Amino acid sequence: MLEWSSRGKSAWEIGCILGISRRTAAFHLDNARAKLGVRTVRQAVVRLAESRSRR
């Protein structure tokens, strides 16, 4: 989901792409934020990109 978000997709758009509700997509994005210890989805995307570049 963070990859879709990094491409500028909203929770509603992600839900449509994956065949789930907007609220379910937002729930998963919120969980990703919490697990990565950041406040925004944008920060989560950056944290994910940083971790992938270190590999």
Side-chain angles (χ1 to χ4, degrees), residues 28-41:
H28 288 298
L29 289 170
D30 287 343
N31 281 343
R33 269 189 324 96
K35 287 182 181 181
L36 293 170
V38 296
R39 289 186 178 204
T40 67
V41 173

Side-chain angles (χ1 to χ4, degrees), residues 1-3 5-6 11-12 14 20-21 23 25 27 29 31 37-38 40-41 44-47 52-53 55:
M1 291 215 183
L2 286 178
E3 188 168 334
S5 186
S6 73
W12 181 83
I14 294 169
I20 58 177
S21 73
R23 183 64 194 116
F27 172 80
L29 289 170
N31 281 343
V38 296
T40 67
V41 173
V45 168
V46 170
R47 178 83 42 102
R52 286 186 176 175
S53 68
R55 291 182 184 175

Side-chain angles (χ1 to χ4, degrees), residues 42-54:
R42 186 170 295 194
Q43 289 172 330
V45 168
V46 170
R47 178 83 42 102
L48 179 64
E50 288 173 348
S51 71
R52 286 186 176 175
S53 68
R54 292 180 188 158

